[in-house]
Amino acid sequence: MKLGVVGMCGDFRTVTAEQLSQINALDFTGASFHFRSADIPNVPPDAVPRCVELFAAAHLTLVQFGITYDECLFHPDAAVREAAVASVVRGMPTAAALGAQHYLFRPGSLNPAGAWTSHRDNYLPASMTRLVETLKPIAEQAEHHELTLVMETHAVSIMDSPETCRDVVERVGSDRLRIVMDFVNHFQTLRQVYDSATRLNHIFDVMGPVAPMAHIKDIRVQNGLVLHLDEEVPGEGELELGVALKRFDAMYPAGYGLIEHLPVEKIPLAAANVRQIAAENGVQIQ
């Protein structure tokens, strides 16, 4: 498998050779960007070719181009759903021109507080029906632009379990729609965390065949009288990450795992830990 990073090169419009050299210095071969859909019309004409040239000079792959927006893909209001489709599709030409391997997007939530907040109506059968129907034209546009979609998922979202993720992909029926293998997002109980090898194997058994790109994180259990599972630096938490690395490498030997959601000062430790765990488990980082 290959190793990349999220969060070290900022905005693709203003990325610098120095930023990319810092990524090279940590032996990553891939990087990523997130960008607001609403800002796509304001991208200067020279920004994309400039970014492509810088990545080529640094011998880096643009693994993931993530598009962000406020709309929910399964909102009861058809106008909101149409706006959500437009927000996702708006960034596709840019992602394709940048040569992104994967185009990242999110399902949203009926909770107005944000995409990664829960709402009881997220889990209604009607919500799932609307999501599937909304994803179909998005997948068609991805086919047109020759992009591989990877949808973000989480235990607090409508895409709450490996089974749900696999089911949605199968119901949409497009080879262009895939899921991010963000295994940390599918731990829902303490017992799953403390027997993480079993849970990780289940996640990969169910979701692995439709999840060609991974996010690499760990889990920390917070003290308290209610359950709080927080993200942690890979190798510094509770998970048996060797299981995840072995399973992903076996399925996608040329696939990318991205270290994400860390301040820059913690990324060197994360990279070193992942490489050590990989070596201990017979996984070669290319």
Side-chain angles (χ1 to χ4, degrees), residues 31-219:
S32 72
F33 294 108
H34 285 78
F35 198 74
R36 279 190 57 80
S37 174
D39 293 333
I40 288 289
N42 301 321
V43 173
D46 64 338
V48 169
R50 176 182 170 277
C51 181
V52 170
E53 289 176 7
L54 286 171
F55 265 68
H59 304 289
L60 286 172
T61 297
L62 180 55
V63 181
Q64 168 188 289
F65 185 84
I67 200 74
T68 62
Y69 44 89
D70 297 327
E71 300 93 351
C72 173
L73 295 182
F74 52 94
H75 197 280
D77 187 334
V80 175
R81 298 198 302 278
E82 290 171 6
V85 172
S87 290
V88 177
V89 172
R90 188 178 298 121
M92 288 186 183
T94 300
L98 286 167
Q101 283 191 345
H102 303 96
Y103 186 63
L104 184 76
F105 72 118
R106 56 185 54 171
S109 173
L110 295 176
N111 188 330
W116 303 119
T117 53
S118 59
H119 191 284
R120 64 175 60 248
D121 291 347
N122 285 355
Y123 309 106
L124 295 176
S127 294
M128 182 58 69
T129 298
R130 289 192 297 267
L131 175 63
V132 170
E133 291 307 308
T134 305
L135 288 171
K136 290 179 180 179
I138 292 174
E140 289 174 3
Q141 287 298 312
E143 178 67 37
H144 173 72
H145 291 286
E146 299 183 345
L147 284 172
T148 297
L149 300 166
V150 283
M151 186 155 59
E152 293 186 280
T153 67
H154 198 283
V156 302
S157 78
I158 189 172
M159 304 290 284
D160 61 343
S161 70
E163 290 79 6
T164 298
C165 294
R166 180 73 176 264
D167 182 60
V168 167
V169 169
E170 291 176 348
R171 288 173 64 181
V172 174
S174 170
D175 290 340
R176 288 292 174 179
L177 176 62
R178 290 296 179 260
I179 301 296
V180 178
M181 175 47 77
D182 203 333
F183 46 83
V184 159
N185 292 357
H186 291 290
F187 280 79
Q188 298 169 318
T189 71
L190 274 176
R191 293 193 180 195
Q192 289 174 355
V193 173
Y194 291 145
D195 185 17
S196 65
T198 298
R199 182 60 177 174
L200 286 165
N201 278 315
H202 176 77
I203 292 168
F204 276 90
D205 287 345
V206 175
M207 202 168 74
V210 296
M213 189 264 287
H215 288 170
I216 302 176
K217 298 175 290 192
D218 211 326
I219 288 178

Side-chain angles (χ1 to χ4, degrees), residues 3 6 12 54 67 96 118 195 239 247 272 282 284:
L3 194 61
V6 178
F12 78 92
L54 286 171
I67 200 74
S118 59
D195 185 17
L239 300 189
R247 291 298 306 269
Q284 182 179 0

Side-chain angles (χ1 to χ4, degrees), residues 262-277:
L262 291 175
V264 172
E265 63 270 17
K266 291 187 177 181
I267 291 175
L269 173 62
N273 285 355
V274 170
R275 292 181 185 281
Q276 179 179 341
I277 293 168

